[in-house]
Amino acid sequence: MTAYRLPVLIAALIATSSVLAASDNNATINDSGANYHGNVSLNQASGDQQQQVNIRAIAIGTEARAATAVTQELNTPAAPSLNARATIGGNSFSNGSGVIGINQSAGANNQMVNAVRIGISAQPQGIDDSALSQQNVALLPDSGTASPASGSRQITTSDQAFTGSRGVVQLNQSAGVGNRMANTLNIRVAD
């Protein structure tokens, strides 16, 4: 009886190792957030080492200055052999109004920023892109010369999603390893 169990055990171990070689990371939003109003911030992640932020700053006054500062840092490598899928389906976030920031990622070591800064002041102010310059991603040391990753990546956004929305819509959507994304909106009004 033991002689029959050994081949079954070996077959099970081989099947398990091939399944574990490419893990699945799925982030799905379906028919959510329709008719939103005001300020909406949503972060959704599937996988390891995800960094996501939605940040807002509003300043009103004689010498007002709206400022944001975001620092994201990852120092851990991620294996590129994974399956990653990010989906926004149905009528998600349709017919809304206001400011909406969505970060959706599947995979590993992805970094995302949505920043909105609004300043109304008597003094003119300069516009900077500091949110864009403060991102770091640690990839495998040989990621530039290695053979292509064996995992699959897929991003899907429904053609009905965001339909009829008004205002500011910021969307970062990624599937994979080591993606960096940022949306920055600066509005400065000198009164």
Side-chain angles (χ1 to χ4, degrees):
M1 194 93 142
T2 305
Y4 294 114
R5 289 185 186 164
L6 186 58
V8 171
L9 178 62
I10 292 172
L13 287 174
I14 291 172
T16 302
S17 65
S18 65
V19 168
L20 293 177
S23 63
D24 288 336
N25 296 283
N26 297 313
T28 303
I29 299 170
N30 195 31
D31 292 320
S32 298
N35 301 308
Y36 66 88
H37 295 287
N39 182 31
V40 178
S41 297
L42 175 69
N43 295 322
Q44 182 189 44
S46 173
D48 295 325
Q49 304 294 329
Q50 309 283 5
Q51 295 179 336
Q52 301 172 321
V53 66
N54 287 296
I55 190 167
R56 311 285 186 249
I58 299 173
I60 301 172
T62 306
E63 295 183 30
R65 176 174 161 77
T68 60
V70 176
T71 302
Q72 295 178 319
E73 185 175 335
L74 289 170
N75 294 318
T76 55
S81 61
L82 55 82
N83 298 321
R85 181 178 179 159
T87 303
I88 296 178
N91 67 345
S92 295
F93 313 109
S94 61
N95 299 311
S97 64
V99 177
I100 185 168
I102 301 167
N103 293 311
Q104 183 189 48
S105 64
N109 284 30
N110 296 308
Q111 296 174 316
M112 301 173 166
V113 175
N114 286 318
V116 174
R117 296 180 277 203
I118 301 171
I120 300 174
S121 173
Q123 303 295 320
Q125 300 175 31
I127 296 176
D128 64 37
D129 61 356
S130 59
L132 297 174
S133 66
Q134 297 183 9
Q135 297 199 4
N136 302 305
V137 174
L139 297 174
L140 293 173
D142 61 353
S143 64
T145 59
S147 60
S150 60
S152 67
R153 278 78 162 141
Q154 182 180 20
I155 292 186
T156 307
T157 304
S158 166
D159 62 351
Q160 295 301 306
F162 304 100
T163 302
S165 290
R166 300 186 191 301
V168 177
V169 176
Q170 295 178 309
L171 172 64
N172 292 315
Q173 190 179 31
S174 75
V177 177
N179 297 303
R180 293 181 282 178
M181 299 179 207
N183 291 309
T184 302
L185 173 65
N186 294 295
I187 299 174
R188 306 279 169 92
V189 177
D191 187 23

